[in-house]
Amino acid sequence: MSETPLIYENDPTYKMAVKQLKETAAILGLSDEVVEVLRHPERLLQVKIPIRMDNGKIVVFLGWRSQHNSALGPYKGGVRYHPNVTPGEVVALSMWMTWKNSLAGIPYGGGKGGIRVDPHKLSSRELEEMSRKYFAAISRIVGPDVDIPAPDVYTNPQTMAWYFDEYSKIVGYNAWGVVTAKPVDLGGLQVRVISTGYGVALAAREAAKKWIGGLEGKTVAVQGFGNVGRYAAKYLAEWGAKVVAVSDSKGGIYNPDGLDIEEVMKVKNETRAVINYKNAKRISNKELLELDVDILVPAAIENVITKENAPRIKAKIITEGANGPTTPEADRILHEKGIVIVPDILANAGGVTMSWIEWSHNRMGCFLTEEEALNRLDSIMTRNFHRVFDEWQRKYSEYPMRAAAYVIAIDRVVRAMKLRGWI
Ligand code: NAD
C-alpha cells in the first residue's frame, strides 16, 4: 500500500464518511475487503472549465463528478457550486447518496458533482457558460441510464435547464431524463421544490405517531427557514402541530402559542429575515435548539447539535432536515437520553425520491398531477420510516436510530454487489 494519500483521502468530510462506513461494516460483519471496495468511488472525473469573463479575462474553474456506486442503478446526486468544494467532499457526498438512495428503495446508485466557484460573483452570462461547459465536459459519463445530476447548494432548476439543453444538443435529441428538478416547462414537477421539506414533515409525523402519540397539539421548533425548513414547518402546522419557533441565519422567533407559518413565509420573502415577523419574541439559534419542544427540526447547516449542547436538548424527537446536523458524540448523548433522532439519510430523502418520480415519468412520456406525486411520496417515505424504525427497535436499539438506517442502506448495496458478482 502506498503511503501517498489519494486526492480525496485526507479530506475531513471524506474521513467522516469512511468512519461511518467502517462502524456500520462492524455491525454487519463486513470484511475489510468489502470496506475497501466501498470506500472508493467507481469513478472520479476532474474537469477544467476555462471561461472568458465579461471583463475579457480568462478564468479557469475546476469541477468534479464522483460516481460512487452503481450496484443498484444509475448514479444519482446533485451538483454544488461553492468556493470550498474539494474532490474529497464530492466523493464523500457521493458515498452518502449511495446510502440515501439505497435506503429510499429507489433504483439508483450514488453520485455527486461540484464546481469550486462562488456563483454569486459571476454574471448570469458567465454562470450559464460555466454550467454548460461543465456539463459538456462530463457529458460522456452522464446520461438518463448512466448518471442523473440534480441541484444542490447554489444550483437550481435554471441550472438544470442549461444542463439538459447542453446534453440534448450533444446527443441530438431531448434527453428529458438526464437531470431532475428541471423547470416545470421542461418536464419538471411543480412539487419538487417542496418535496424535501414535505418529506421531513412526513418523517416527523410518523416518528410522532410512534413516540409521542401523534402530531396533534405537539410543539415544534425548526432551525433554518430555507427550502427545507419552511415547508417542513408549513406541513407540520397544517397537520395539527404547533410550530412555536423558527430561525434563519439572522436569528430566530418564538411564540409559545404558535406562529402563523404562512405569515412568517410572507415576511421572510419580503424582508429576507424571519425576525421581522411581529407577533413573537426574538431568540438566538442556540436558544432555539434548546427549547422545551416535542419535535426539533434542524434544517439549516451541519454540526449544530454537538456534545456541548446535546445535554441541554429537551426535544423528544429530532428530525434531521439538514445533512449532518448532529455530531456522532451528540448522537450517543441524545440516544442515552431517550431522544429519537430520525437521521438525515431517511428524513431528507423526499427530494431525491421526488426526482425519481420525475425521472420515471419523463421516461414514460407522461406527467403526474401534484396530488398524485405527493401521495406517492407520502407512501414511500412512510413505508421507509417504519422499516427503519421497526428494524431499529427489533435489532439495533442499543445504538441510535441512525445505525439501523446505515445498516439497511449498506446491506442493500452489498447484497446487490454480491448478486452481480462484484464481491
Ligand atoms: P437554503 O439555503 O434554502 O436554506 C438554508 C436556511 O438555513 C436559510 O434559511 C438560512 O438563513 C439558514 N441558515 C444558514 N446558516 C444558518 C445558521 N448558522 N443558523 C441558522 N440558520 C442558518 O437550503 P436548503 O435547501 O433548505 O438546505 C438546508 C439543509 O438541508 C442543508 O443541509 C442541505 O444540504 C439539506 N438538504 C436539502 C435538500 C433540498 O432538496 N433542498 C435535500 C436534502 C438535504
Side-chain angles (χ1 to χ4, degrees), residues 230-246:
R230 69 174 61 199
Y231 294 111
K234 173 182 153 80
Y235 288 102
L236 286 168
E238 270 183 25
W239 299 338
K242 190 158 71 168
V243 180
V244 294
V246 300

Side-chain angles (χ1 to χ4, degrees), residues 1 14 18-19 21-40 410 414 417-418 423:
M1 286 263 267
Y14 176 75
V18 172
K19 186 163 177 273
L21 168 63
K22 286 186 174 165
E23 281 171 6
T24 312
I27 300 175
L28 275 169
L30 298 179
S31 68
D32 290 349
E33 279 173 358
V34 173
V35 171
E36 190 60 16
V37 172
L38 285 171
R39 84 176 180 89
H40 297 288
I410 295 178
V414 169
M417 287 170 58
K418 277 197 184 131
I423 50 173

Side-chain angles (χ1 to χ4, degrees), residues 13 23 30 39 55 57 62 66 74 113 122 128 140 185 228 246 253 263 317 357 365-366:
T13 317
E23 281 171 6
L30 298 179
R39 84 176 180 89
N55 63 9
K57 297 223 161 66
L62 292 181
S66 168
L122 268 56
E128 175 172 351
R140 262 179 278 177
D185 290 330
V228 179
V246 300
I253 49 174
E263 185 58 28
I317 294 170
I357 295 171
C366 59

Side-chain angles (χ1 to χ4, degrees), residues 196 223-228 248-249 268 285 299-301 321-323 348:
T196 303
Q223 183 187 45
F225 207 67
N227 188 30
V228 179
D248 58 29
S249 57
K268 171 80 180 169
N285 266 292
I301 51 167
N323 283 318
N348 70 27

Side-chain angles (χ1 to χ4, degrees), residues 112 144 153 246 368:
K112 201 84 180 191
V153 176
V246 300
L368 284 176

Side-chain angles (χ1 to χ4, degrees), residues 87-232:
E89 180 192 52
V90 174
V91 172
L93 291 166
S94 71
M95 192 188 302
W96 282 326
M97 285 310 298
T98 301
W99 314 146
K100 190 184 291 191
N101 294 339
S102 168
L103 187 68
I106 51 182
Y108 288 142
K112 201 84 180 191
I115 303 180
R116 199 175 170 90
V117 60
D118 182 350
H120 300 116
K121 293 194 175 143
L122 268 56
S123 70
S124 58
R125 187 206 60 82
E126 291 163 347
L127 194 62
E128 175 172 351
E129 188 176 334
M130 185 190 70
S131 300
R132 287 182 181 276
K133 281 197 169 155
Y134 169 73
F135 215 69
I138 66 166
S139 65
R140 262 179 278 177
I141 64 159
V142 298
D145 284 313
V146 185
D147 184 354
I148 308 135
D152 191 68
V153 176
Y154 298 146
T155 52
N156 54 36
Q158 176 61 72
T159 325
M160 297 307 111
W162 292 325
Y163 287 176
F164 159 74
D165 185 64
E166 197 61 28
Y167 186 81
S168 297
K169 281 196 287 197
I170 291 168
V171 295
Y173 62 92
N174 281 324
W176 303 109
V178 71
V179 286
T180 57
K182 298 179 290 297
V184 175
D185 290 330
L186 292 177
L189 290 169
Q190 190 78 57
V191 288
R192 174 63 178 81
V193 58
I194 66 167
S195 55
T196 303
Y198 189 79
V200 170
L202 291 169
R205 181 191 73 188
E206 295 309 305
K209 278 188 207 160
K210 286 279 190 187
W211 214 246
I212 53 174
L215 272 185
E216 195 57 45
K218 301 299 185 318
T219 51
V220 178
V222 180
Q223 183 187 45
F225 207 67
N227 188 30
V228 179
R230 69 174 61 199
Y231 294 111

